[in-house]
Structures are given as structure tokens and as C-alpha cells.
Amino acid sequence: MDLLGAELSGTDLTTLLLAVMRRRASERTPAEVLRRYREDRFTEPVRTPFHGLRRVEDALLSTLPGGVEMVTLPPVVPLGTHSAVATVDQNKVVTTIRGTEVAADPTNGLALEVARRRQALLRENSRSCTAVRLGAFQRVLRAQRFEGASAHFSLLGLVSGGRDTGDLAFERAHLTEHLAYLVDALRAAGAREIDVRMRVLDPRFAPLAAGLPYEAVEGSSGYYTGLTYKVYVDGGVEVADGGFVDWTRRLLGNNKERLLISGVGLDRVVSATG
């Protein structure tokens, strides 16, 4: 474990693993490949109807705020993206042998792109307040089991990154935009009842939450900071969540950086809205 996990260089480890997998693959017969396809939950087709996913994608795009750039993310991100940036256990993601891991959430990849763009802006102006607002649809894969759910599913990720300008001004503006968008988008997708519930993680955010027409309670929630939220539709089905995170702050080593993320589960929306 010490040799493979730390002492061997990344290049040598990749070379070794490629040779190992080439040998193992060469011993597989077509019948064995088919058997694995039938039995491996990572490779089975999703049960959500294709036209249902397209319908929801179109609805979410139709209400997207102006100025949000949709990007097409790759299916993999650098090794450690989910554990080092989003503090998710590495065992919950599918790691490759080439120093990458399969995307488990589009907001992680979008956070890297926000950090790259904000870094370029800060090179030009060390106090740049220009916000970067991005969105992406992505089919993601997670290693942990969810009862009654596929190992892979479609998500819409929406992120807004920028600089702290004081008095929670960045947070207020982008939180209002994200929540208004989620309500409009889910209504366009066919949801009849929409329930937004906010959780205040930092007392400083209580006045911000009080100024919005949604229920707010105090508590803690995973990797979010300040304030987080969940969105439920018809029958109490949870279809979206989001909140503030410190990812770009840590990626750029700059305590002034701010990031708000939101995610919508398309398969859940299809199931809830028919």
C-alpha cells in the first residue's frame, strides 16, 4: 500500500495499472463481457424515459437567467476533486487508472472552471468583482447505493462565483437569483407544488434568509457554509438542493472568493411530474 499509494510516481503507477488492465481485459471473452454488463449496476441503462429527460432539460433551459453560460463538462475530473474540494469520501466516487475520477456532481467540475476564470480575472485586477455564472447538464455516476435508484443519473448544476463585496451583497444577489430560477424552472417542468426550505448554518445569514419568502431553520449540513436549501415538489419529492461552499476560496487560496451552487436531479423531476 505504501509503495502504490505514495512512493511510486504518478506516471509509473499509471503505466503499471495500464499494463495490469490490458492483461485482464485480454483474458475476457465476449460472453464474460455480456455477463458483466447484465450484472454491473454501473453499466445498466437508466429506467427514466429519454423523452422525459429531454422535456425537463428543455424546461430548465427555457427559464435560465440571462448571462448564465451553459458549458459541456467532460465525464471525468482530476483525481481528488470530490474528496479534496468537496470533502466527499473517495469511496463514493469511481476512480480511473489515469489520475482522474468519474464525475459525481456537475457543480464540482463547474467549481474548477469558475476558479480558473476567476484566477484569470484576478491576474488582470487583484480586486476583480466580476461574477462567473455557469451551468451544465451532466450524467453522473456515484459508487454508493441508493435504494430504488440507478447508480447514474442526470443533474443540472448551476454555480455563481465572485468576490465578497461586504454586507453579504454577493450572497444576497445570487441566492435570490438561484432560488427564483429553481421555482420558475420546476414550475415550467410541470411541478404543481413547490416547497423551498432553507437551513441557516451561520447566524450572520439569518437576516438574509428572513428577507426571502421561504421557511428557514437553523442547523448543520455537510460541506455547505452560511446557508443551504432543499427544494421539494408534488408529494414532498426532493428534487434540488444548494447553498454556499468554500470551494473556490480553497482552490484559489483567497478568503475573499465566494461560491454558490445549486443542483437539480432531472430523473427525480421526471418521476415527480410525470
Side-chain angles (χ1 to χ4, degrees), residues 130-150:
T130 302
V132 178
R133 298 153 66 224
L134 304 175
F137 290 111
Q138 191 172 43
R139 195 79 190 169
V140 301
L141 181 67
R142 295 186 184 176
Q144 70 265 48
R145 292 182 179 273
F146 297 98
E147 185 175 352
S150 171

Side-chain angles (χ1 to χ4, degrees), residues 133-185:
R133 298 153 66 224
L134 304 175
F137 290 111
Q138 191 172 43
R139 195 79 190 169
V140 301
L141 181 67
R142 295 186 184 176
Q144 70 265 48
R145 292 182 179 273
F146 297 98
E147 185 175 352
S150 171
H152 59 93
F153 43 89
S154 292
L155 293 177
L156 167 67
L158 190 69
V159 300
S160 298
R163 181 182 175 86
D164 174 28
T165 55
D167 197 30
L168 296 179
F170 172 91
E171 290 84 350
R172 182 175 293 102
H174 293 281
L175 176 63
T176 300
E177 180 178 70
H178 276 228
L179 291 178
Y181 165 69
L182 291 174
V183 171
D184 290 344

Side-chain angles (χ1 to χ4, degrees), residues 12-226:
D12 288 343
L13 177 62
T14 298
T15 301
L16 171 63
L17 293 176
L18 286 172
V20 169
M21 292 305 169
R22 182 184 295 112
R23 177 177 296 184
R24 295 180 71 91
S26 69
E27 296 175 354
R28 290 281 177 92
T29 66
E32 289 172 331
V33 171
L34 179 59
R35 177 185 60 77
R36 183 59 183 266
Y37 175 73
R38 291 196 310 264
E39 298 174 355
D40 192 335
R41 66 190 182 91
F42 291 158
T43 63
E44 65 180 6
V46 69
R47 298 176 183 177
T48 308
F50 171 80
H51 292 291
L53 289 172
R54 279 304 304 270
R55 174 182 63 82
V56 172
E57 282 186 359
D58 290 342
L60 297 182
L61 283 174
S62 70
T63 55
L64 197 68
V68 174
E69 179 186 344
M70 293 296 291
V71 298
T72 301
L73 294 172
V76 296
V77 290
L79 179 66
T81 293
H82 299 90
S83 60
V85 178
T87 64
V88 172
D89 191 303
Q90 191 65 29
N91 287 340
K92 294 183 179 180
V93 300
V94 177
T95 307
T96 79
I97 62 173
R98 292 181 181 266
T100 61
E101 54 198 42
V102 180
D105 193 304
T107 60
N108 292 275
L110 290 172
L112 293 176
E113 181 61 17
V114 168
R116 186 183 70 83
R117 297 189 185 195
R118 282 290 300 158
Q119 190 172 55
L121 289 167
L122 291 170
R123 287 197 190 101
E124 298 178 0
N125 176 3
S126 62
R127 300 179 64 83
S128 172
C129 294
T130 302
V132 178
R133 298 153 66 224
L134 304 175
F137 290 111
Q138 191 172 43
R139 195 79 190 169
V140 301
L141 181 67
R142 295 186 184 176
Q144 70 265 48
R145 292 182 179 273
F146 297 98
E147 185 175 352
S150 171
H152 59 93
F153 43 89
S154 292
L155 293 177
L156 167 67
L158 190 69
V159 300
S160 298
R163 181 182 175 86
D164 174 28
T165 55
D167 197 30
L168 296 179
F170 172 91
E171 290 84 350
R172 182 175 293 102
H174 293 281
L175 176 63
T176 300
E177 180 178 70
H178 276 228
L179 291 178
Y181 165 69
L182 291 174
V183 171
D184 290 344
L186 292 171
R187 187 174 291 119
R192 295 176 298 277
E193 299 177 0
I194 302 172
D195 180 19
V196 178
R197 303 176 193 172
M198 296 184 295
R199 186 173 294 275
V200 176
L201 310 176
D202 183 332
R204 295 185 305 115
F205 284 73
L208 191 160
L212 296 169
Y214 309 115
E215 178 184 0
V217 295
E218 293 187 3
S220 60
S221 184
Y223 45 66
Y224 290 111
T225 64

Side-chain angles (χ1 to χ4, degrees), residues 47-49 52-53 55-56 148 189-192 233-235 237-239 265-274:
R47 298 176 183 177
T48 308
L53 289 172
R55 174 182 63 82
V56 172
R192 295 176 298 277
V233 298
D234 313 338
V237 179
E238 181 186 333
V239 296
L266 274 64
D267 299 68
R268 290 191 175 189
V269 175
V270 172
S271 177
T273 63

Side-chain angles (χ1 to χ4, degrees), residues 255-274:
N255 286 331
K256 285 291 188 178
E257 290 299 303
R258 299 290 181 266
L259 186 69
L260 174 65
I261 66 172
S262 292
V264 182
L266 274 64
D267 299 68
R268 290 191 175 189
V269 175
V270 172
S271 177
T273 63

